[in-house]
Amino acid sequence: MTENKLPYNLRFVVRDYECDLQSVVNNANYQHYLEHARHEFLISKGVSFAELHNAGIDLIVTKVEIEYKFPLRSRDEFIVTVDIQREGNVRLCFIQDIYRLPDLKLVAKAKVTGAATKKGRPVSPGNLVLRLGLES
Amino acid sequence: MTENKLPYNLRFVVRDYECDLQSVVNNANYQHYLEHARHEFLISKGVSFAELHNAGIDLIVTKVEIEYKFPLRSRDEFIVTVDIQREGNVRLCFIQDIYRLPDLKLVAKAKVTGAATKKGRPVSPGNLVLRLGLES
Amino acid sequence: MTENKLPYNLRFVVRDYECDLQSVVNNANYQHYLEHARHEFLISKGVSFAELHNAGIDLIVTKVEIEYKFPLRSRDEFIVTVDIQREGNVRLCFIQDIYRLPDLKLVAKAKVTGAATKKGRPVSPGNLVLRLGLES
Amino acid sequence: MTENKLPYNLRFVVRDYECDLQSVVNNANYQHYLEHARHEFLISKGVSFAELHNAGIDLIVTKVEIEYKFPLRSRDEFIVTVDIQREGNVRLCFIQDIYRLPDLKLVAKAKVTGAATKKGRPVSPGNLVLRLGLES
């Protein structure tokens, strides 16, 4: 895969404190990277995670699937991609990959399913879907 | 489900720093809980994650699937269960659930697939399988 | 120092994900331990950090001083102590030590200064001081 | 203070997972920011933290003092500065400030004292001192 064919993506560098005693990035930190890339993606579409929260709507993650292909190490640079699909009436599905730079080696593949909720109950992502350019 | 029918499990309490601005435990932290429970489980079976690492063998996670059912909040007490299955020749599969206490409300369901590696290559978990009481 | 002469203290075990590539607990995580012990101490005195926040009052940390004496490693057990002093009209000062178990080796010494704030401005800890058994 | 008079500095953006239930960056995460900026500073001087570790030398932090002046919130951009001084024969002292962007509002002031160690014992930072441009 070449970098100019990639979907939305965000660039990171591994910080030493993200590595654990196996000298690689701790598995849970990939979820942090994925989350930060999703939030920046949503903001690039005009959707603020924090503003939504203040308005009583939370975008919550209902399912995470991550395949770990190759570990990131201290100071590796990498990108996290974000693509989005609608799934049924209330779910949004984020397809996210992590590639090391500059060789674009595949580090991890993830599928993150989310839902919009109000007071803990699922609501139609309605307006969100329009902003994200998905068919309503 | 009643607590005395549960498989191996470890008790935790949510620490405030584990909660994010949605006032619930951040999704990535569930992976920390799951990891800590797996490591304690392995130690209870005589398998030390850190000692294995010093001997050149790393137990790595190749895939994580987590379904988030109900969020944990500040100071909630909960347990993380660990059950293990063999999958093919080189993979071990951990089935892990998280239940809030004292009502045993289901918080999350996870399946974590792991492999033993030496210098980055998969090796048969062999000896491990015996210690864990799985058929070889 | 013997354990039965210690002030309020909370017991922990190092979780592997808290260690970094130097194979010791990452420095920032000691601040997590200290925070969790302070919150549990406050709760033991009837002061809920999360409830205060919902009532518009935040206990904020204004200064942290930590001396690192000896590193904690994977699976070490340890205690974090909490003692409290009033400092002037608006500040509370937490004196906290970390000792490894079972030898009570000194791991870290900390002084954490805090203040009560409402809408970002310092307020007298008043009621808090009474609950914490400090002279008002 | 204007940005072009600042010492070495590194730019960051707050990631949502770094905020806690008070909706501000959790105190311990400032230590992460400070650490990452120090490591990048050292690398800019040709000193690799991870390579040193592999050569048996660890740069350890012996003391951290942080004054929290103003909290960072979701998506704030900020810089972390790094200045270094020698302290006696075996200690290095990092003077670090955090400023929010674009207004350069002071967020935190820190002094981090470190020492070079080999097998747990302090050694003269010798060669390091030269690379860092400090008088030996």
Side-chain angles (χ1 to χ4, degrees):
Chain A
M1 188 178 274
T2 59
E3 201 169 350
N4 60 2
K5 286 185 189 164
L6 292 172
Y8 175 91
N9 61 84
L10 195 67
R11 199 173 179 119
F12 294 75
V13 62
V14 172
R15 301 175 184 174
D16 284 340
Y17 67 80
E18 295 166 340
C19 298
D20 63 19
L21 40 76
Q22 291 188 325
S23 298
V24 295
V25 169
N26 182 269
N27 290 313
N29 286 327
Y30 293 90
Q31 270 211 53
H32 281 154
Y33 300 150
L34 294 167
E35 178 192 294
H36 184 56
R38 284 197 308 280
H39 290 195
E40 292 290 324
F41 167 80
L42 290 172
I43 281 158
S44 77
K45 300 289 190 179
V47 177
S48 160
F49 182 80
E51 280 174 24
L52 280 173
H53 174 66
N54 292 336
I57 291 174
D58 283 314
L59 285 182
I60 61 162
V61 168
T62 56
K63 190 173 184 183
V64 163
E65 296 159 272
I66 306 173
E67 287 177 72
Y68 296 96
K69 299 295 191 182
F70 191 83
L72 288 170
R73 292 176 178 275
S74 173
R75 311 210 59 254
D76 278 350
E77 291 185 68
F78 60 101
I79 54 170
V80 181
T81 69
V82 186
D83 216 345
I84 192 166
Q85 298 168 358
R86 197 165 178 185
E87 195 174 282
N89 281 327
V90 296
R91 299 201 181 284
L92 296 170
C93 186
F94 296 86
I95 306 299
Q96 301 191 264
D97 293 329
I98 302 180
Y99 297 97
R100 188 177 64 181
L101 293 176
D103 61 357
L104 289 179
K105 184 165 181 75
L106 182 61
V107 166
K109 293 180 74 62
K111 182 182 169 187
V112 178
T113 309
T117 62
K118 200 162 185 170
K119 296 181 182 170
R121 289 170 181 282
V123 293
S124 163
N127 197 16
L128 260 182
V129 164
L130 293 179
R131 284 213 221 167
L132 295 172
L134 300 169
E135 291 172 34
S136 70
Chain B
M1 189 178 275
T2 58
E3 201 170 351
N4 59 4
K5 286 185 189 165
L6 291 173
Y8 175 91
N9 61 84
L10 194 68
R11 201 175 179 119
F12 293 76
V13 62
V14 172
R15 302 175 183 174
D16 285 339
Y17 67 79
E18 295 166 340
C19 298
D20 64 19
L21 38 77
Q22 291 188 325
S23 298
V24 294
V25 169
N26 182 269
N27 290 314
N29 285 326
Y30 293 91
Q31 235 177 299
H32 281 153
Y33 300 151
L34 295 166
E35 178 192 294
H36 184 56
R38 283 196 309 279
H39 291 194
E40 292 289 325
F41 166 81
L42 290 172
I43 282 158
S44 78
K45 299 288 189 180
V47 178
S48 159
F49 182 80
E51 280 173 25
L52 279 173
H53 174 66
N54 292 335
I57 291 174
D58 283 314
L59 284 181
I60 62 163
V61 168
T62 56
K63 191 172 182 183
V64 164
E65 296 160 273
I66 306 172
E67 286 177 74
Y68 297 96
K69 299 295 192 182
F70 191 83
L72 289 171
R73 292 176 179 276
S74 174
R75 312 210 59 253
D76 279 349
E77 291 185 67
F78 60 99
I79 53 169
V80 181
T81 68
V82 187
D83 217 344
I84 192 167
Q85 298 167 358
R86 196 164 178 186
E87 197 173 280
N89 281 327
V90 295
R91 300 203 179 282
L92 297 170
C93 184
F94 296 87
I95 306 299
Q96 301 192 263
D97 293 328
I98 301 179
Y99 298 97
R100 190 177 62 182
L101 295 176
D103 61 359
L104 288 180
K105 184 165 181 75
L106 182 61
V107 166
K109 292 180 75 63
K111 181 182 171 188
V112 178
T113 309
T117 62
K118 200 163 186 170
K119 296 183 182 171
R121 290 169 180 281
V123 292
S124 163
N127 196 15
L128 263 181
V129 164
L130 293 178
R131 286 211 220 168
L132 296 170
L134 300 169
E135 291 172 36
S136 67
Chain C
M1 187 178 274
T2 60
E3 201 169 353
N4 61 0
K5 287 184 187 164
L6 292 172
Y8 175 91
N9 61 83
L10 195 67
R11 201 176 179 116
F12 293 75
V13 62
V14 172
R15 302 176 183 173
D16 284 339
Y17 67 80
E18 295 166 340
C19 298
D20 63 18
L21 38 76
Q22 292 188 323
S23 297
V24 295
V25 169
N26 182 270
N27 290 313
N29 286 327
Y30 293 90
Q31 234 176 300
H32 281 152
Y33 300 151
L34 295 167
E35 178 192 295
H36 184 56
R38 285 197 307 280
H39 290 194
E40 292 290 324
F41 166 80
L42 290 172
I43 282 158
S44 78
K45 299 288 189 179
V47 177
S48 159
F49 182 80
E51 279 173 25
L52 279 174
H53 174 68
N54 292 335
I57 291 174
D58 283 313
L59 285 181
I60 61 163
V61 169
T62 57
K63 191 172 182 182
V64 164
E65 296 159 273
I66 306 173
E67 287 176 72
Y68 297 96
K69 298 294 192 182
F70 191 82
L72 289 171
R73 292 176 179 276
S74 173
R75 313 209 59 253
D76 278 350
E77 290 185 69
F78 60 100
I79 53 169
V80 181
T81 69
V82 187
D83 217 343
I84 192 166
Q85 297 168 359
R86 197 165 178 185
E87 196 173 282
N89 281 327
V90 295
R91 299 200 182 285
L92 296 170
C93 185
F94 296 88
I95 307 298
Q96 302 192 264
D97 292 329
I98 303 179
Y99 298 98
R100 189 177 63 182
L101 294 176
D103 61 358
L104 288 179
K105 183 165 183 73
L106 181 61
V107 167
K109 293 180 75 62
K111 181 183 171 188
V112 178
T113 309
T117 63
K118 201 162 186 170
K119 295 182 182 169
R121 290 170 180 282
V123 293
S124 162
N127 197 14
L128 260 183
V129 165
L130 293 178
R131 284 210 222 169
L132 296 171
L134 301 169
E135 292 171 34
S136 69
Chain D
M1 188 177 275
T2 57
E3 200 169 350
N4 60 3
K5 286 185 189 163
L6 292 172
Y8 175 90
N9 61 83
L10 194 68
R11 201 176 178 116
F12 293 75
V13 62
V14 172
R15 301 176 183 174
D16 284 339
Y17 67 79
E18 295 166 340
C19 298
D20 63 19
L21 39 76
Q22 291 188 324
S23 299
V24 295
V25 169
N26 182 271
N27 291 313
N29 286 327
Y30 293 91
Q31 269 212 51
H32 281 153
Y33 301 151
L34 295 167
E35 178 192 296
H36 184 55
R38 283 197 309 279
H39 290 194
E40 291 290 324
F41 167 79
L42 290 173
I43 282 158
S44 78
K45 299 288 189 180
V47 179
S48 160
F49 182 80
E51 280 174 24
L52 280 173
H53 174 67
N54 292 336
I57 292 173
D58 282 314
L59 284 182
I60 62 162
V61 168
T62 56
K63 190 172 184 183
V64 164
E65 296 159 273
I66 306 173
E67 287 176 72
Y68 297 96
K69 299 295 190 181
F70 191 83
L72 289 170
R73 291 175 180 277
S74 173
R75 312 210 61 252
D76 279 349
E77 292 185 67
F78 61 99
I79 52 170
V80 181
T81 68
V82 186
D83 217 344
I84 192 166
Q85 296 168 359
R86 197 164 178 184
E87 197 173 280
N89 281 328
V90 296
R91 297 200 182 286
L92 297 170
C93 185
F94 297 87
I95 306 299
Q96 301 191 263
D97 294 328
I98 301 179
Y99 298 97
R100 189 178 62 182
L101 294 176
D103 62 358
L104 288 179
K105 186 167 181 73
L106 182 61
V107 167
K109 291 179 76 62
K111 182 182 170 188
V112 178
T113 309
T117 63
K118 200 161 185 172
K119 295 182 182 169
R121 290 170 180 282
V123 291
S124 162
N127 196 15
L128 260 182
V129 164
L130 293 178
R131 285 211 221 169
L132 296 171
L134 300 169
E135 291 171 36
S136 69

